[in-house]
Amino acid sequence: MIPNLADLAVQGAQMALVLAAAPLVTGLVRKVKARLMRRRGPPLLQIYRDLARLLRKEAVVADNASWLFRAVPFLVFAATWVAAALVPTFATGLTFSWSADLIAIVALLGSARFFLALAGMDVGTSFGGIGASREVMIATIAEPAFIMTVFTLALVAGSTQLSTVAAAMATGEVGLRVSLGLALIALVMVAVAENGRVPVDNPATHLELTMVHEAMVLEYSGRHLAMIELAASLKLTLYLSLVACVFVPWGLAGPGSGALAHLIGLAAWAGKLAVAAVLLGLFETSVAKMRVFRVPDFLGAALMLGLLATLLLFVSRSL
Amino acid sequence: MSATVAALLCPAALLCPAALLAIAALTVVANRGLGADRARWLVYGGAMLVCIAAFGVALVALISSARADGQAADMVLPLGLPGIGARFALDGLSAVFLAVVGLGGAAASLYGLGYGRHEHEPFRVLPFYPAFLAGMMLVPLAADAFTFLVSWEFMSLASWALVLAHHRVPENRRAATVYIVMAAGGTFALLFAFALLAGPAGGFAFAAMRAVPPDAVTAGVVLALALVGAGSKAGLVPLHVWLPLAHPAAPSHVSALMSGVMTKIAVYGFLRLVFDLAGPPAWWWGVPVLVAGGVTAAVGVLTALMQTDIKRLLACSTIENIGLIFAGLGLALAFAANGMAAAAALALTAALFHVVNHALFKSALFFGAGAVLTATGTRELDRLGGLIHRMPVTALAVLVACVAISALPPLNGFASEWLLFQAILLSPELPQWGLKLAVPAVGALLALSVALAAACFVRFYGIAFLGRPRSDEAATAREVDRFSLSAMLGLAGLCVLAGVLPGLVIDLLAPAAAGLVGAAMPPQGGLAWLSIVPIAESRSSYNGLLVLVFIAVSALGTAVVVHRLAGSAVRRAPAWDCGFPNADPATQYTASSFAQPIRRVFAGAIFMVRESVEMPPPGDLSPARFRLDLSDPIWERGYLGLAGLVGRMADFANRLQTLTIRQYLSLVFLSLVALLVVLAVWR
């Protein structure tokens, strides 16, 4: 388990790469949505400029904000980044993947959400409260649905280690299964909800009564806001990479494979992310946002699908 | 050398409750002559030292029996029934629970040193406090049914007296009545269970019961009685109704002991009866325990989400955690019945780990609630707010405990829940269909409960400690004394420690698991980087220490880089709030408005909720009013229904008391005939 230098390099490259690529993915989704609405849309790199601009600005903090308010952006960013670093993007043999498994990744994202919801309530405004309250309501159904998906994957692959799961999926022995299909649908629904995308939440809105995530972070500005935006981008990339590495694991470089395999893996990952971003943009433009109290029905369906997939595997290992 | 140590452990452990009883007696005898201040030092200082000693003894027992695996011999003392004596023993299971009592008791005593100063009638608390602790230590040490039941009742009665400490509040009197009725019912069930196990020969020492396992039907009845008897003490749904009433009524450090430790003694009672004494389990035993655990977890956390009293909220969340523990025990029973000893050890260790964890964070949370109560004089969430500014140290300790109880990495709550999920993932190997269908459903319930618990503690912390003060008391709150603070910070530190070094705790729990299911989890202490690997490395592993280091390094590193490169200017300004300046603190979200979405989605299933809005007619300037009626059908229909039934039967029996002599004579004749018929049929 003592890591050697090459593995460390792969792990480090992966962490840096995810961080660097995350805003681009968000930018691509925005661009696709804009083009589908026959707008030109901001350039792909605009989001990097926005982040740089936010970082340079002074942070305006409410008079009665506590230390928690100022610590949370960094905590949220760190928890999301660590979770993202554990998801195989272009190579499976991640050095530190044994330090936390898929259940821990779910819980790390849960930690980020916990602190963000607390920060929403710190200043004591009604918008912070509404955002935090709705966010935790969504999470109380999305998280068990996610856990059920994790159970399904773990039962199919015989492990909760994401690297092992991805490697098992890539072998082709798993094949097409009903349970995996159900788990894929459930996971996508969870991803849509957790990232605050249409139809659950609208990342572009600032209309008070329809927003969830944006209401929670309403009081943030400057570098704090930049960290939160970056964490949101990271989370989107994490979910897309997760779906990609489990359900379309082709092209992933195995542990100890050469530079060429890693290059292929990189290209494959970029391709998968691009396809996923385009699909997400397409999906978001084609549906309308739901009322808040329709969301539990939507996510309840995801929970039931996840439970059904797990049940199928308890009934028969080959379903 | 180790043999002499082992022989000395049980007497050493017994000295602790004896010392506590001596303190209690001394307090009663000296009473007011001692003065409240000196009595406080005597009781809490003495109890703290004794509890630390008990913890030390338990730790030595766990470490030594981890190496030399030997069954501890019973120690017979000439106490109790004349000529028979009382038996005591300290095995792995007892040692785990003795350690929990020691740890929880030491922290509560330290806290009591400061908190007890605010007690109006200290002598209603002081004598009972060490007696309560002594009862909780004696239960795990008892090695025969009589000693067990006497200690159990002693523990119940001492805690009942503590619930009545503030007896002038009518609610507390009601809580105490409900508590004593439920406790008596539970002990009644345990009495039957032990009587069945002792059999006609009356071998009521645990060793004798172990030697003669009961037949299948008797064992099944014992399981049911243990679920009722221990479950009512632990707070299994639907026997949980006394818990949210009685736990908050006691002084806060006693609440912490009742919630964090006494419910664990109930878990011990269940383990001793079902895993140890009732013989080899049948496959179906796991099903009722699993289902009870899953339902308890979900109902408990939903009830907690609806509460607006902080101590009641914490008591309800205890019900949830008891559910998680019992779900682990159910899994362990199912695995053990099917001969999967390693998996059973994993599930059992997960449950025991959660026992330890819950004792740590729930005690810390109750201490925090007590501190809030001292500082503001109120337990109502809707009168709090902004305490993080006024009580920074309490706020920090409570935040750590909230993160831990919400099962978020890298703290200890996550570690035990992770083990529990790993155990669930082993259960497709179980051959029986009943279990194959029950386990995933219960798994989903547990996942739901964990997510709801996080929501519950966002609400608790966000309303009480964050935001702006909702009352003058909250706005002028002052930080509490140093004893209370050190107790809270100590427990918060232990939460972090148990979270980043879960392997150490798992290794300490190994003797208990080995004694009950015949196997223990593989030793974790020697693994590289202190990670934990429950089954095999390719299957799953978790390293709390590395997760903590990763998060800390990336958070601090990012903060440093951002501040260095992008500037660290901060401007304080009024809150933005979409442009509403200086809104009243009443415009903040309240405890019930925060819970409203969750109430709408989930609570309809288990509560009777009625929301109504009274809108004034157009032109009328009176304010609109929102009314929320929430009632618990288990209490309204179940318990009150039962009480009504008893009342109606009493009314009916009452009529028998005003009959004529003729009617009495005919009644006597009829009962004689009936008895003779019974006798004839019986023969």
Side-chain angles (χ1 to χ4, degrees), chain B residues 22 86 330 413 627:
Chain B
R627 250 181 84 81

Side-chain angles (χ1 to χ4, degrees), chain A residues 55 58-65 98-99 101 107 118 121-122 124 127 130 133 159-161 219 223 227 314, chain B residues 389 409 418 422 425 427 436 466-468 538-541 543 558 569-573 576-577 588-589 594 597:
Chain A
L55 279 173
E58 65 175 357
V60 183
V61 174
D63 287 326
N64 63 331
W98 49 266
S99 67
D101 64 353
L118 283 184
M121 304 183 73
D122 186 50
F127 286 116
I130 201 174
S133 160
S159 166
T160 54
Q161 297 300 114
E219 296 295 327
R223 58 176 181 278
M227 296 322 292
F314 268 77
Chain B
H389 302 286
W418 185 81
Q422 294 299 335
L425 287 174
S427 49
K436 271 183 191 293
L466 304 178
R468 288 173 290 160
S538 65
R539 198 176 166 99
S540 55
S541 61
N543 189 322
T558 316
V570 167
R571 184 155 60 85
R572 289 279 178 173
W576 156 231
D577 200 18
Q588 296 176 90
Y589 253 49
F594 190 87

Side-chain angles (χ1 to χ4, degrees), chain A residues 1-3 15 55-68 70 74-75 77-79 81-82 86 96-101 103-105 107-108 110-111 113-115 117-119 121-134 136-137 139-141 143-144 147-148 150-152 154-155 158-161 164 206 208 211 218-219 223-224 227 291-293 296 303 307 310-311 313-317, chain B residues 388-389 392 396 399 402-403 406-410 414 418 421-422 424-429 433 435-437 439-441 443-445 447-448 450-452 454-455 457-459 461-463 465-468 470 527-529 531 533 537-544 546-547 550-552 554-555 558-559 562-563 566-578 580 587-589 593-598 600-602:
Chain A
M1 259 197 252
I2 305 300
M15 279 186 88
L55 279 173
R56 276 199 306 273
K57 285 195 163 193
E58 65 175 357
V60 183
V61 174
D63 287 326
N64 63 331
S66 67
W67 59 267
L68 193 64
R70 293 171 63 181
F74 297 102
L75 276 177
F77 171 76
W81 198 20
V82 171
L86 295 166
F96 284 111
S97 73
W98 49 266
S99 67
D101 64 353
I103 298 177
I105 292 175
L108 274 171
S111 302
R113 182 193 317 112
F114 184 89
F115 280 107
L118 283 184
M121 304 183 73
D122 186 50
V123 178
T125 59
S126 34
F127 286 116
I130 201 174
S133 160
R134 289 178 176 181
V136 298
M137 181 268 282
T140 48
I141 319 174
E143 202 176 278
I147 292 275
M148 284 293 117
V150 172
F151 278 6
T152 310
L155 290 177
S159 166
T160 54
Q161 297 300 114
T164 320
H206 275 99
E208 290 90 342
M211 59 191 183
L218 192 64
E219 296 295 327
R223 58 176 181 278
H224 298 146
M227 296 322 292
R291 281 168 51 222
V292 168
F293 284 104
L303 178 56
L307 180 57
T310 312
L311 258 177
L313 287 170
F314 268 77
V315 170
S316 159
R317 268 299 166 90
Chain B
I388 194 170
H389 302 286
L396 179 66
L399 179 63
C402 283
V403 175
S406 306
L408 300 175
F414 175 71
W418 185 81
F421 282 146
Q422 294 299 335
I424 288 177
L425 287 174
L426 288 177
S427 49
E429 313 288 336
W433 280 99
L435 286 169
K436 271 183 191 293
L437 296 178
V439 173
L445 272 180
L448 188 66
V450 173
L452 283 167
F457 283 92
V458 167
R459 170 176 178 266
Y461 196 82
I463 303 280
F465 286 91
L466 304 178
R468 288 173 290 160
R470 292 177 177 79
L527 294 177
W529 301 77
S531 43
V533 177
E537 201 183 317
S538 65
R539 198 176 166 99
S540 55
S541 61
Y542 167 67
N543 189 322
L546 270 186
V547 170
F550 283 161
I551 292 182
S554 38
T558 316
V562 165
H563 282 115
S568 55
V570 167
R571 184 155 60 85
R572 289 279 178 173
W576 156 231
D577 200 18
C578 269
F580 291 105
T587 60
Q588 296 176 90
Y589 253 49
S593 54
F594 190 87
Q596 187 255 0
I598 292 173
R600 252 179 98 163
V601 176
F602 295 102

Side-chain angles (χ1 to χ4, degrees), chain A residues 62-249:
Chain A
D63 287 326
N64 63 331
S66 67
W67 59 267
L68 193 64
F69 185 81
R70 293 171 63 181
V72 159
F74 297 102
L75 276 177
V76 168
F77 171 76
T80 317
W81 198 20
V82 171
L86 295 166
V87 178
T89 51
F90 60 91
T92 54
L94 291 178
T95 318
F96 284 111
S97 73
W98 49 266
S99 67
D101 64 353
L102 202 41
I103 298 177
I105 292 175
V106 176
L108 274 171
L109 293 174
S111 302
R113 182 193 317 112
F114 184 89
F115 280 107
L116 203 55
L118 283 184
M121 304 183 73
D122 186 50
V123 178
T125 59
S126 34
F127 286 116
I130 201 174
S133 160
R134 289 178 176 181
E135 177 89 359
V136 298
M137 181 268 282
I138 292 171
T140 48
I141 319 174
E143 202 176 278
F146 200 173
I147 292 275
M148 284 293 117
T149 319
V150 172
F151 278 6
T152 310
L153 297 177
L155 290 177
V156 168
S159 166
T160 54
Q161 297 300 114
L162 196 45
S163 282
T164 320
V165 174
M169 293 291 177
T171 55
E173 286 167 12
V174 174
L176 281 178
R177 293 187 184 203
V178 184
S179 55
L180 282 182
L182 297 178
L184 173 62
I185 301 172
L187 185 57
V188 168
M189 288 165 96
V190 169
V192 165
E194 288 277 22
N195 285 294
R197 315 301 302 191
V198 180
V200 173
D201 189 9
N202 188 348
T205 187
H206 275 99
L207 188 64
E208 290 90 342
L209 293 177
T210 56
M211 59 191 183
V212 179
H213 178 86
E214 295 295 325
M216 212 165 35
V217 303
L218 192 64
E219 296 295 327
Y220 276 114
S221 59
R223 58 176 181 278
H224 298 146
L225 186 59
M227 296 322 292
I228 286 175
E229 300 265 333
L230 194 53
S233 293
L234 263 176
K235 195 167 157 186
L236 179 63
T237 310
L238 181 158
Y239 271 95
L240 296 182
S241 307
L242 180 65
V243 173
C245 87
V246 174
F247 292 99
V248 272

Side-chain angles (χ1 to χ4, degrees), chain B residues 151-189:
Chain B
S151 315
W152 181 278
E153 269 307 273
F154 189 73
M155 167 182 92
S156 292
L157 288 177
S159 57
W160 173 76
L162 288 165
V163 167
L164 264 181
H166 303 154
H167 64 117
R168 288 182 214 288
V169 186
E171 287 162 34
N172 291 357
R173 290 203 295 272
R174 179 170 158 259
T177 311
V178 174
Y179 175 38
I180 196 89
V181 169
M182 294 298 291
T187 313
F188 199 53

